Amino acid sequence: MVNHQNGVAKPPASAASAYTINLDNFRKRLKGFYTCWSDHKSDLWGFTDAIAIATPPTSEDLRYLKSSALNIWLLGYEFPETIMVFMNKQIHFLCSQKKAKLLETTIKSAREAVGVDLTIHVKAKDNDGTSLMEEIIGSIHTQSKSESPIVGYISKEAPEGKLLETWSEKLANSNLQLTDVTNGFSELFSIKDGTELICIKEAAHLTTSVMKIFVVPKLERVIDEEKKVSHSSLMDDAEKAVLNPARVKVELKAEDVDICYPPIFQSGGQFDLRPNAASNDDDLYYNSTSVIICAIGSRYNSYCSNIARTFLIDATETQRKAYEVLLKAHDAAVGALKPGNIVGAVYQAALSVIQKEAPELLPNLTKSAGTGIGLEFRESGLSLNSKNDRVLKSGMVFNVSLGFQNLQARTKNPKTEKYSLLLADTVIVGKKPPEVLTAGCSKAVKDVAYSFSEEEDEEPLRVRSDLNGTGVLSSKATLRSDKQEMSKEELRRQHQAELARQKNEEIARRLAGSVSAAGEGRGPAKTSSELIAYKNVNDIPFAKQLAIQVDQKNEAVLLPIYGSMVPFHVSTVKSVTSHQDHGTCTIRVIFYVPGTPFNPHDANTLKFQGSIYLKEITFRSKDSRHISEVVQQIKTLRRQVTSRESERAERATLVTQERLQLAGNRMKPIKLQDLWIRPAFVGRGRKLTGSLEAHVNGFRYATSKPDERVDVMFANIKHAFFQPAEKEMITLLHFHLHNHIMVGNKKTKDIQFYVEVMDVVQTLGGGRRSALDPDEIEEEQRERDRKNKINMDFQNFVNKVHDIWAQPQFKGLDLEFDMPLRELGFYGVPHKSSAFIVPTSSCLVELIETPFLVVSLGEVEIVNLERIGFGQKNVDMAIVFKDFKRDVLRIDSIPSSSLDGIKEWLDMTDLKYYESRLNLNWRPILKTITEDPEKFIEDGGWEFLNMDASESDSDNTEESDKGYEPSDIEPESASEDEDSASESLVESDEDDEEEESSEDSEEEKGKTWEELEREASNADRDKGDESDSEEEKRRRKVKVLGKSHIPERSAPKRMLPSKRPKFK
């Protein structure tokens, strides 16, 4: 069980150094607090002169306090044992020294936001704080015009600890009137700003993922395999899934998440629909007519979300009807969450549905339809009951929870004669229809109602539900959803349709509120320092004669100008050339000059704007040998400096890595020897193999050269791959990293260590040897033994590294060596050459040819399979990433024979794919989506790619180049000859002659032999008359193609329109 305390956001003991307060949020929210206090002083804040909030010490219990919520809302962290007093002109904090150091940063911001003076009273450890409390109370009396000032406090929070008890006594004995201000804080917290909504959306995404990806499959496995699992063990497993978001493919930091309450699992006739219910130690009951209720709540940055689902096992008609009524009532309650409605209308909407559909269920309905949710799981004053007359406003968030308690079933089994139903979702009130954040986990009847069936003699046998509840299936039953048996292709289509719905909901949530992460932790590149060859004149070397010199040490070129040696840093030299003519040699030096198109102003030129710059200079000399040496020296020095500065600029963008902790004497490092590295070290001399060692927190690769060393930290590894040699010549370990590292002077995110399992040799004789040659057989056996030994050495290394990664300190990294699945592989062209591309459990990779290909499936939005059609030998794949700023990755020339396997793999990995007949130009499409995401969602999201939806029109449609505009895609059946002046989103490639000719033949299906012969002769004449004008050629073409129209003058670059576009 996680160590629960008042709030997630608690600064540690060294808070002053590890944490900072977001001053922008502090100013904005402090101003909002004072505005709310001023506007509602009479009705919500009780005419208070001051508001005193005391936060209790931390507790092991899971609880929600208004004081803790105010700390997190205003300051970003919880401050235990801290007293805050707000007045019209002053704010007082009473806290310890460490908390005071962190709060000091808010003094200036408080004055800027609301014009108040913030005073911090530091309580020493050996002091009870009495004198400081009296000083604060004295300030209240001084600022108030009344003899008995009114002080607001939270009455339901009893004082805990010596400090708060002393404070409570002081307030009671200081001639102050105390009044409860809980309603004021309820109003203050009710409307969430953009930052808060993002936190709630992330929490809801985590909650939905745990329910959908972990809980539902877990329950299905338990029931399918007839296991005995207790409710409490399911609770523990679900809690671990919440606390480790990576398990459910959610990219949130584990330290930022927590549970709202221990997950609830109930079955077997004992149901409690309250949020504070507990999962007992009874086993999960899943016999016929049983009901299972699951509820999960998770928090992100202290903001809550909730979901609850009910699952029906062999449900009776009565149970199914009750659930359908509850589903309609729940949808009606969600639909009533509109700005301007009163809160009570939400419960009334649900009530009306039940009165109409099943009035006999009214006594069993829960007394409310949920509560407000945010920093508190149940926000006071926002209960969705019939008596609440508060007005709904945009930005409010509710946990809409509706259920039937203790319904009667017609069974004699005590574990099924009573059952309950519960549904809950997290919903945002907005200007548009309410946004259901947890809709990703379906609650439709077909998705939550299950039935048992047995298979005997390869024929499915439908087993009836035992209405008495006493019959137990004699053999192992298989859990099946209430769907008829269907073909493999139909199942895949159905799964893809569900993925499309989920994908559109996910992209709507992401485009609406998610904030793009910063570019992998990179900061702005540092500008290079000023170019200084010599600090003063005395440092210039003495020249015996006035001749051009190159100072390698100071990276300067010394030029004789008017009898003096004038130094120029070599970085200012743009080019240097020499020319020899009739015994005289000329050298010309051109310098970089600021302000020209290819040499914009930099920091140095802007600093010396009034200076005069030398553009070029020319010297003549009779010593051609000296001139040649000088030119060579300048070019060499310039190349060295440029290379060094380029490497320095690359390193400036790197993220700082932790230091490698070398294994000591106790822990002998795990080692692989004689490995090559890619990318290779750059340098002269013979390339050397090196060894890879696994140390405490990372790997180190080193050769015998001291400067050839690379450290790879475990924390920087995003994906690790082990690919043994099967049909390849190498066995390899590959690491795809979070952040770039330097290998020599190259910056890379992919690093690979490999061994060649076969020696590439060539027989000197050049002839073929017999397969029965003993020497040939022996050589092949040696190669097999060598390959097996290398593969085994790598496997042992991988197993030992897995043991290291299994240690507690590395579990959060979720590291594991992934092995490519060759049976799912296919050939394609990801870059410039064909390669064998192989899926893994979490990626799509190609690790043999360079540049490497590593695509994280978690970063993929959709996959579009292009050039799909009969007669096509190859198809293309376009991978669209969730980050629309990234270019779409194309894998071209995939054999059509691999298409079914690719579809099956994509479907298995829950990736939504679409099919199109043409190649699409993705840049304008993504640009249009990012510019107007709301229209994209309204028009159906990615469904404009669905070829099946418009298959009847696919032969006669034209694409528009104005980005994604599905409304502009109209069938051409009514007007085949209509021409569009816009460019096409489809990429044209007219190099495929076979494809063109086949499509031409389809166009010309109805022509007679005479027409074809006349057309051929005209084509021959066109080829022969090279001197004919374009207008004459076009006129002749129009005569031949009688159905085609002349392109309009507004679009001279368009080709003649045809019935079907000829695109590759």
Side-chain angles (χ1 to χ4, degrees), residues 601-777:
H601 293 282
D602 58 14
N604 294 320
T605 59
L606 291 175
K607 187 175 179 181
F608 306 105
Q609 294 186 22
S611 302
I612 297 174
Y613 291 88
L614 181 64
K615 185 175 182 180
E616 67 175 78
I617 189 170
T618 304
F619 295 92
R620 284 187 299 174
S621 173
K622 294 183 178 181
D623 191 350
S624 59
R625 182 177 178 182
H626 173 68
I627 292 297
S628 299
E629 290 178 356
V630 165
V631 170
Q632 188 62 37
Q633 288 175 2
I634 293 176
K635 287 182 176 180
T636 303
L637 181 59
R638 185 171 169 272
R639 187 166 52 248
Q640 292 173 353
V641 171
T642 303
S643 175
R644 186 195 65 206
E645 290 300 321
S646 175
E647 181 180 347
R648 181 181 297 173
E650 291 284 358
R651 292 184 181 275
T653 62
L654 296 177
V655 175
T656 304
Q657 305 284 338
E658 59 183 316
R659 293 181 65 86
L660 181 69
Q661 300 177 24
L662 299 178
N665 296 329
R666 295 183 180 179
M667 176 185 170
K668 187 177 180 181
I670 308 164
K671 183 181 291 189
L672 264 180
Q673 294 181 332
D674 298 327
L675 302 181
W676 299 99
I677 184 174
R678 291 197 288 186
F681 291 108
V682 177
R684 296 185 177 182
R686 189 169 62 91
K687 300 292 187 294
L688 300 175
T689 60
S691 61
L692 181 67
E693 298 178 349
H695 291 275
V696 176
N697 63 336
F699 298 103
R700 168 166 288 181
Y701 174 84
T703 69
S704 57
K705 295 182 180 180
D707 58 336
E708 293 186 351
R709 189 175 71 183
V710 177
D711 293 341
V712 181
M713 300 297 109
F714 294 156
N716 194 28
I717 296 175
K718 188 175 183 180
H719 299 292
F721 304 100
F722 164 46
Q723 181 168 318
E726 293 184 14
K727 296 182 179 181
E728 298 85 12
M729 300 287 290
I730 61 174
T731 298
L732 63 88
L733 297 178
H734 188 97
F735 299 107
H736 183 66
L737 309 178
H738 289 286
N739 300 302
H740 291 83
I741 63 172
M742 297 296 293
V743 178
N745 59 356
K746 296 179 182 177
K747 190 169 75 169
T748 182
K749 258 191 176 183
D750 287 279
I751 186 167
Q752 185 180 107
F753 308 100
Y754 69 96
V755 170
E756 295 176 350
V757 296
M758 295 184 187
D759 295 326
V760 180
V761 296
Q762 184 176 2
T763 306
L764 294 177
R768 294 186 59 185
R769 300 172 66 177
S770 170
L772 300 178
D773 187 346
D775 293 336
E776 185 77 10
I777 295 173

Side-chain angles (χ1 to χ4, degrees), residues 504-541:
N504 286 336
E505 290 174 356
E506 178 191 338
I507 194 173
R509 177 184 63 83
R510 194 170 72 246
L511 291 178
S514 296
V515 180
S516 298
E520 303 173 352
R522 298 184 193 175
K526 297 182 179 178
T527 58
S528 36
S529 58
E530 294 184 9
L531 300 176
I532 300 176
Y534 304 102
K535 292 183 179 180
N536 55 62
V537 179
N538 296 327
D539 293 337
I540 300 176

